[in-house]
């Protein structure tokens, strides 16, 4: 089927917003406030005009997050996921949906997105990382020192060799949070 002029225009609007967003990401942040404002406006216009677009709300959610508008970031990213759960970097989108819900203190949704990530992308180090975050801070979790270390070892082993060392350090810091929570100071 041939695209209509409106579909072509909306695709171009989304592409324009993505170019502005990419420029803002790579530019000196102090001198790019006007680029950010324009990217936000164009991406918002594209998202409102066509709810089937996935890239525009994905980028818009990153802008909201950078501005500290965590609730809006979460809602906008969820909209992007609904439009296309397999759009550009599904690992990043599902991972960010976990993070945004975790930061927003919505433990139920954070658990759901962490489980979804683990189901879709295991083995992957981030699946273990989000599990450890939940073990350390989610009041419904009942972790043990042994379970935390087991998750950390599995996740570190799943990390690509190039980033294994910094990932292992991050995972060990999360284990420390679990150990503090369970009172296992000698672990």
């Amino acid at each position: 089927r041939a695209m209509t002029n409106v579909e072509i225009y909306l695709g171009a609007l989304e592409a324009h917003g993505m170019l502005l967003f990419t420029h803002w990401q790579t530019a000196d942040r102090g001198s790019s406030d006007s680029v950010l404002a324009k990217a936000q406006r164009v991406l918002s216009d594209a998202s409102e005009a066509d709810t089937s677009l996935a890239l525009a709300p994905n980028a818009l959610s990153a802008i909201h997050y950078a501005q500290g508008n965590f609730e809006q970031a979460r809602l906008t990213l969820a909209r992007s996921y609904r439009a296309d759960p397999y759009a550009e970097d599904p690992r990043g989108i599902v991972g960010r949906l976990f993070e945004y819900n975790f930061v927003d203190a919505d433990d139920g949704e954070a658990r759901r997105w962490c489980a979804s990530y683990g189901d879709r992308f295991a083995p992957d180090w981030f699946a273990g990382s989000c599990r450890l975050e939940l073990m350390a801070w989610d009041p419904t979790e009942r972790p043990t020192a042994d379970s935390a270390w087991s998750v950390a070892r599995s996740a570190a082993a799943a990390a690509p060799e190039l980033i294994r060392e910094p990932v292992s350090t991050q995972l060990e810091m999360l284990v420390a949070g679990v150990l503090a929570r369970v009172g296992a100071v000698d672990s």
Side-chain angles (χ1 to χ4, degrees), residues 36-52:
L36 175 62
K38 188 168 185 179
Q40 187 171 5
R41 191 171 48 255
V42 171
L43 291 166
S44 183
D45 288 349
S47 295
E48 289 173 21
D50 185 351
T51 59
S52 72

Side-chain angles (χ1 to χ4, degrees), residues 33-106:
D33 289 342
S34 64
V35 173
L36 175 62
K38 188 168 185 179
Q40 187 171 5
R41 191 171 48 255
V42 171
L43 291 166
S44 183
D45 288 349
S47 295
E48 289 173 21
D50 185 351
T51 59
S52 72
L53 297 177
L55 295 178
N58 183 2
L60 192 56
S61 75
I63 293 171
H64 291 312
Y65 193 84
Q67 294 171 330
N69 300 326
F70 303 124
E71 173 69 9
Q72 190 61 43
R74 185 181 63 76
L75 293 171
T76 307
L77 188 58
R79 180 176 164 189
S80 172
Y81 183 82
R82 283 190 307 273
D84 186 354
Y86 299 98
E88 175 189 325
D89 187 21
R91 285 177 194 251
I93 292 173
V94 175
R96 284 176 41 225
L97 281 163
F98 163 74
E99 291 171 359
Y100 289 7
N101 281 284
F102 188 78
V103 166
D104 211 28
D106 189 338

Side-chain angles (χ1 to χ4, degrees), residues 127-151:
S129 178
C130 71
R131 280 293 308 131
L132 287 169
E133 287 186 58
L134 290 170
M135 291 168 80
W137 287 280
D138 182 351
T140 66
E141 293 280 333
R142 301 288 177 247
T144 65
D146 289 340
S147 65
W149 283 116
S150 176
V151 169

